Amino acid sequence: MTMSPRLRRLGLIVHVTSSVGWVGAVATFLALALIGMTSQDPGTVRGVYLVMEPAAWYALVPFACAALITGIVQSLGTPWGLFRHYWILFKLLINAVATTVLLIYMGTFKSMAETAADPEASLSSVRNFSPVLHSVLALVVLLLAMILAVYKPRGVTPYGLRKQHGRRESVSQPVAMPVPRP
C-alpha cells in the first residue's frame, strides 16, 4: 500500500526528526561520558553516571524505537519498499542492531548508576570508559545510516529485480480490448 503524498511527507518528517534526535542524544551522551571520565569533582562524576540511565530511557530509547518504526513504515508505504534495495536493508539492519544493543546496554547504565549512588565506592570504580566507546560507535553507525539515506547507492535485491521485472511486463503487455459483436 502506497501512502498519499501528504502522509508520506509527514512520515518522512517524523522519521528524519527521530533519527536526527537519536544522533543528538548519542552526542549528548558522549559529552556526558567525557565529563564523567575527566571531571575532578566527585559530585559531577557521580551525577553523570546517575543521570545516564533515566536520560537513556527518556531520550535514547524513544528516539531509537521511533527511528526504527518510522523507517519501516516509510519503506512499506512508499515505492522504495523494505526489501527492494540493499541500502534500505542496510539501514534497517543498522537501526535494528543499534536499537538492540542499546536495549541490552540499559543494564550497564543501571549498574553504573548503582555504583555511582554508593557513597563508599571510589571515584575510580565509578568512572567507566564504556559509555565513551559505545557513544562513539553509535555515532559512527548512525552517521553511516544517514549517508546511505542521502546517497542511496545503487543495488537492487533479487526481490527488487523480480518486482521491477513484473512491473515492466505488466506495463508492456497490450491490453485486450473486447471485440464488439454485431
Side-chain angles (χ1 to χ4, degrees), residues 59-76:
L60 286 176
V61 172
F63 280 132
C65 292
L68 179 60
I69 292 166
T70 59
I72 292 170
V73 168
Q74 277 294 104
S75 64
L76 292 175

PDB file of all heavy atoms in Angstrom, residues 59-76:
ATOM      1  N   ALA A  59      15.244   9.494  26.420  1.00  0.00           N
ATOM      2  CA  ALA A  59      15.708  10.097  25.166  1.00  0.00           C
ATOM      3  C   ALA A  59      16.213   9.046  24.171  1.00  0.00           C
ATOM      4  O   ALA A  59      15.667   8.914  23.078  1.00  0.00           O
ATOM      5  CB  ALA A  59      16.802  11.133  25.437  1.00  0.00           C
ATOM      6  N   LEU A  60      17.243   8.304  24.537  1.00  0.00           N
ATOM      7  CA  LEU A  60      17.844   7.361  23.592  1.00  0.00           C
ATOM      8  C   LEU A  60      16.855   6.290  23.128  1.00  0.00           C
ATOM      9  O   LEU A  60      16.703   6.070  21.918  1.00  0.00           O
ATOM     10  CB  LEU A  60      19.065   6.676  24.217  1.00  0.00           C
ATOM     11  CG  LEU A  60      20.325   7.504  24.357  1.00  0.00           C
ATOM     12  CD1 LEU A  60      21.402   6.703  25.083  1.00  0.00           C
ATOM     13  CD2 LEU A  60      20.839   7.957  23.008  1.00  0.00           C
ATOM     14  N   VAL A  61      16.226   5.617  24.056  1.00  0.00           N
ATOM     15  CA  VAL A  61      15.333   4.509  23.695  1.00  0.00           C
ATOM     16  C   VAL A  61      14.139   4.985  22.858  1.00  0.00           C
ATOM     17  O   VAL A  61      13.842   4.388  21.807  1.00  0.00           O
ATOM     18  CB  VAL A  61      14.895   3.715  24.947  1.00  0.00           C
ATOM     19  CG1 VAL A  61      13.811   2.698  24.610  1.00  0.00           C
ATOM     20  CG2 VAL A  61      16.100   3.021  25.582  1.00  0.00           C
ATOM     21  N   PRO A  62      13.437   6.060  23.262  1.00  0.00           N
ATOM     22  CA  PRO A  62      12.320   6.504  22.411  1.00  0.00           C
ATOM     23  C   PRO A  62      12.746   6.935  21.008  1.00  0.00           C
ATOM     24  O   PRO A  62      12.069   6.602  20.028  1.00  0.00           O
ATOM     25  CB  PRO A  62      11.720   7.693  23.182  1.00  0.00           C
ATOM     26  CG  PRO A  62      12.134   7.481  24.585  1.00  0.00           C
ATOM     27  CD  PRO A  62      13.468   6.809  24.526  1.00  0.00           C
ATOM     28  N   PHE A  63      13.871   7.664  20.892  1.00  0.00           N
ATOM     29  CA  PHE A  63      14.328   8.071  19.565  1.00  0.00           C
ATOM     30  C   PHE A  63      14.723   6.854  18.728  1.00  0.00           C
ATOM     31  O   PHE A  63      14.424   6.782  17.535  1.00  0.00           O
ATOM     32  CB  PHE A  63      15.509   9.044  19.646  1.00  0.00           C
ATOM     33  CG  PHE A  63      15.125  10.461  19.929  1.00  0.00           C
ATOM     34  CD1 PHE A  63      15.782  11.195  20.908  1.00  0.00           C
ATOM     35  CD2 PHE A  63      14.126  11.094  19.200  1.00  0.00           C
ATOM     36  CE1 PHE A  63      15.438  12.512  21.166  1.00  0.00           C
ATOM     37  CE2 PHE A  63      13.778  12.413  19.445  1.00  0.00           C
ATOM     38  CZ  PHE A  63      14.431  13.127  20.431  1.00  0.00           C
ATOM     39  N   ALA A  64      15.407   5.884  19.332  1.00  0.00           N
ATOM     40  CA  ALA A  64      15.822   4.683  18.602  1.00  0.00           C
ATOM     41  C   ALA A  64      14.614   3.898  18.109  1.00  0.00           C
ATOM     42  O   ALA A  64      14.548   3.501  16.935  1.00  0.00           O
ATOM     43  CB  ALA A  64      16.703   3.806  19.493  1.00  0.00           C
ATOM     44  N   CYS A  65      13.655   3.681  18.985  1.00  0.00           N
ATOM     45  CA  CYS A  65      12.451   2.928  18.603  1.00  0.00           C
ATOM     46  C   CYS A  65      11.641   3.685  17.552  1.00  0.00           C
ATOM     47  O   CYS A  65      11.139   3.084  16.596  1.00  0.00           O
ATOM     48  CB  CYS A  65      11.609   2.621  19.828  1.00  0.00           C
ATOM     49  SG  CYS A  65      12.399   1.444  20.952  1.00  0.00           S
ATOM     50  N   ALA A  66      11.526   5.006  17.721  1.00  0.00           N
ATOM     51  CA  ALA A  66      10.781   5.808  16.743  1.00  0.00           C
ATOM     52  C   ALA A  66      11.460   5.771  15.379  1.00  0.00           C
ATOM     53  O   ALA A  66      10.787   5.649  14.351  1.00  0.00           O
ATOM     54  CB  ALA A  66      10.640   7.246  17.235  1.00  0.00           C
ATOM     55  N   ALA A  67      12.784   5.866  15.357  1.00  0.00           N
ATOM     56  CA  ALA A  67      13.506   5.821  14.079  1.00  0.00           C
ATOM     57  C   ALA A  67      13.310   4.465  13.403  1.00  0.00           C
ATOM     58  O   ALA A  67      13.100   4.392  12.183  1.00  0.00           O
ATOM     59  CB  ALA A  67      14.994   6.115  14.298  1.00  0.00           C
ATOM     60  N   LEU A  68      13.359   3.396  14.171  1.00  0.00           N
ATOM     61  CA  LEU A  68      13.176   2.057  13.615  1.00  0.00           C
ATOM     62  C   LEU A  68      11.757   1.878  13.065  1.00  0.00           C
ATOM     63  O   LEU A  68      11.564   1.468  11.915  1.00  0.00           O
ATOM     64  CB  LEU A  68      13.468   1.000  14.678  1.00  0.00           C
ATOM     65  CG  LEU A  68      13.302  -0.460  14.265  1.00  0.00           C
ATOM     66  CD1 LEU A  68      14.227  -0.819  13.107  1.00  0.00           C
ATOM     67  CD2 LEU A  68      13.561  -1.375  15.449  1.00  0.00           C
ATOM     68  N   ILE A  69      10.777   2.228  13.855  1.00  0.00           N
ATOM     69  CA  ILE A  69       9.379   2.028  13.447  1.00  0.00           C
ATOM     70  C   ILE A  69       9.016   2.923  12.255  1.00  0.00           C
ATOM     71  O   ILE A  69       8.420   2.461  11.273  1.00  0.00           O
ATOM     72  CB  ILE A  69       8.427   2.267  14.637  1.00  0.00           C
ATOM     73  CG1 ILE A  69       8.622   1.158  15.671  1.00  0.00           C
ATOM     74  CG2 ILE A  69       6.979   2.336  14.177  1.00  0.00           C
ATOM     75  CD1 ILE A  69       8.002   1.451  17.020  1.00  0.00           C
ATOM     76  N   THR A  70       9.384   4.203  12.324  1.00  0.00           N
ATOM     77  CA  THR A  70       9.032   5.105  11.220  1.00  0.00           C
ATOM     78  C   THR A  70       9.793   4.758   9.949  1.00  0.00           C
ATOM     79  O   THR A  70       9.273   4.954   8.853  1.00  0.00           O
ATOM     80  CB  THR A  70       9.267   6.582  11.592  1.00  0.00           C
ATOM     81  OG1 THR A  70      10.652   6.771  11.944  1.00  0.00           O
ATOM     82  CG2 THR A  70       8.374   7.015  12.738  1.00  0.00           C
ATOM     83  N   GLY A  71      10.999   4.226  10.081  1.00  0.00           N
ATOM     84  CA  GLY A  71      11.737   3.786   8.899  1.00  0.00           C
ATOM     85  C   GLY A  71      11.051   2.622   8.210  1.00  0.00           C
ATOM     86  O   GLY A  71      10.946   2.582   6.977  1.00  0.00           O
ATOM     87  N   ILE A  72      10.558   1.694   8.999  1.00  0.00           N
ATOM     88  CA  ILE A  72       9.835   0.554   8.424  1.00  0.00           C
ATOM     89  C   ILE A  72       8.544   1.031   7.764  1.00  0.00           C
ATOM     90  O   ILE A  72       8.226   0.636   6.637  1.00  0.00           O
ATOM     91  CB  ILE A  72       9.555  -0.511   9.501  1.00  0.00           C
ATOM     92  CG1 ILE A  72      10.877  -1.161   9.939  1.00  0.00           C
ATOM     93  CG2 ILE A  72       8.578  -1.564   8.998  1.00  0.00           C
ATOM     94  CD1 ILE A  72      10.765  -2.054  11.162  1.00  0.00           C
ATOM     95  N   VAL A  73       7.812   1.901   8.457  1.00  0.00           N
ATOM     96  CA  VAL A  73       6.556   2.425   7.893  1.00  0.00           C
ATOM     97  C   VAL A  73       6.841   3.177   6.589  1.00  0.00           C
ATOM     98  O   VAL A  73       6.125   3.000   5.592  1.00  0.00           O
ATOM     99  CB  VAL A  73       5.833   3.327   8.916  1.00  0.00           C
ATOM    100  CG1 VAL A  73       4.699   4.097   8.270  1.00  0.00           C
ATOM    101  CG2 VAL A  73       5.321   2.492  10.087  1.00  0.00           C
ATOM    102  N   GLN A  74       7.880   4.013   6.591  1.00  0.00           N
ATOM    103  CA  GLN A  74       8.223   4.772   5.383  1.00  0.00           C
ATOM    104  C   GLN A  74       8.539   3.840   4.214  1.00  0.00           C
ATOM    105  O   GLN A  74       8.087   4.057   3.102  1.00  0.00           O
ATOM    106  CB  GLN A  74       9.432   5.681   5.635  1.00  0.00           C
ATOM    107  CG  GLN A  74       9.110   6.987   6.286  1.00  0.00           C
ATOM    108  CD  GLN A  74       8.270   7.872   5.407  1.00  0.00           C
ATOM    109  OE1 GLN A  74       7.080   8.013   5.626  1.00  0.00           O
ATOM    110  NE2 GLN A  74       8.873   8.455   4.412  1.00  0.00           N
ATOM    111  N   SER A  75       9.326   2.816   4.478  1.00  0.00           N
ATOM    112  CA  SER A  75       9.703   1.934   3.371  1.00  0.00           C
ATOM    113  C   SER A  75       8.519   1.124   2.863  1.00  0.00           C
ATOM    114  O   SER A  75       8.397   0.899   1.661  1.00  0.00           O
ATOM    115  CB  SER A  75      10.849   1.009   3.793  1.00  0.00           C
ATOM    116  OG  SER A  75      10.425   0.149   4.826  1.00  0.00           O
ATOM    117  N   LEU A  76       7.640   0.710   3.755  1.00  0.00           N
ATOM    118  CA  LEU A  76       6.482  -0.073   3.323  1.00  0.00           C
ATOM    119  C   LEU A  76       5.422   0.789   2.646  1.00  0.00           C
ATOM    120  O   LEU A  76       4.657   0.292   1.821  1.00  0.00           O
ATOM    121  CB  LEU A  76       5.866  -0.807   4.513  1.00  0.00           C
ATOM    122  CG  LEU A  76       6.711  -1.925   5.110  1.00  0.00           C
ATOM    123  CD1 LEU A  76       6.046  -2.490   6.355  1.00  0.00           C
ATOM    124  CD2 LEU A  76       6.984  -3.020   4.094  1.00  0.00           C
TER     125      LEU A  76
END
